[in-house]
Amino acid sequence: DVQLVESGGGSVQAGGSLRLSCATSGYTYSRNCMGWLRQAPGKEREGLAAIGTVTDSTLYADSVQDRFAIFQDRVKNTVFLQLNALKSEDTAMYYCAAKSQYGARWDDPRQYNYWGQGTQVTVS
């Protein structure tokens, strides 16, 4: 089994930054790909970024690749999402998620098998 626990969300003014953390544990193969996704009220859940935990390769949605960065600390089994130049439209619940295969369909929420509880980001 895999456990994911997010932290780091909060309220920030437009233009500010936040760093989200996702502490991971459990079967390593099941979290070969770690993703960050978000869901705003009334909208579908969308993939933002993913990292291959073995290769450190990263993938980003076009809408955030210039502002967000995903990275990991293997020693601490933690995946991070750095959010910069935040906009009001970034307000959403942010989730980390895990699946075994990195790459194809990384931004499809249906591909992920394990989810954290989410952390709220509010930009005003």
Side-chain angles (χ1 to χ4, degrees):
D1 203 2
V2 173
Q3 294 79 41
L4 307 173
V5 179
E6 301 103 330
S7 60
S11 296
V12 64
Q13 290 187 337
S17 298
L18 283 173
R19 178 173 293 181
L20 308 182
S21 301
C22 176
T24 74
S25 62
Y27 189 39
T28 303
Y29 177 78
S30 296
R31 43 191 174 94
N32 278 347
C33 178
M34 293 296 303
W36 281 97
L37 303 93
R38 70 183 177 189
Q39 187 165 21
K43 295 188 177 181
E44 293 185 352
R45 196 167 295 190
E46 62 172 337
L48 301 173
I51 186 167
T53 56
V54 174
T55 64
D56 261 344
S57 298
T58 57
L59 292 161
Y60 292 93
D62 290 343
S63 59
V64 302
Q65 64 177 358
D66 293 334
R67 300 186 295 122
F68 294 0
I70 187 170
F71 56 99
Q72 64 176 337
D73 182 331
R74 285 200 183 92
V75 173
K76 296 182 178 180
N77 286 323
T78 301
V79 177
F80 302 91
L81 186 68
Q82 178 69 37
L83 313 176
N84 298 322
L86 283 162
K87 307 174 182 179
S88 58
E89 51 262 44
D90 294 318
T91 294
M93 184 71 78
Y94 285 67
Y95 299 90
C96 70
K99 65 187 185 81
S100 58
Q101 297 296 322
Y102 172 78
R105 303 175 71 182
W106 67 270
D107 56 347
D108 183 352
R110 297 169 296 179
Q111 300 302 309
Y112 288 87
N113 304 115
Y114 302 95
W115 292 83
Q117 81 285 358
T119 185
Q120 178 69 37
V121 172
T122 302
V123 185
S124 59

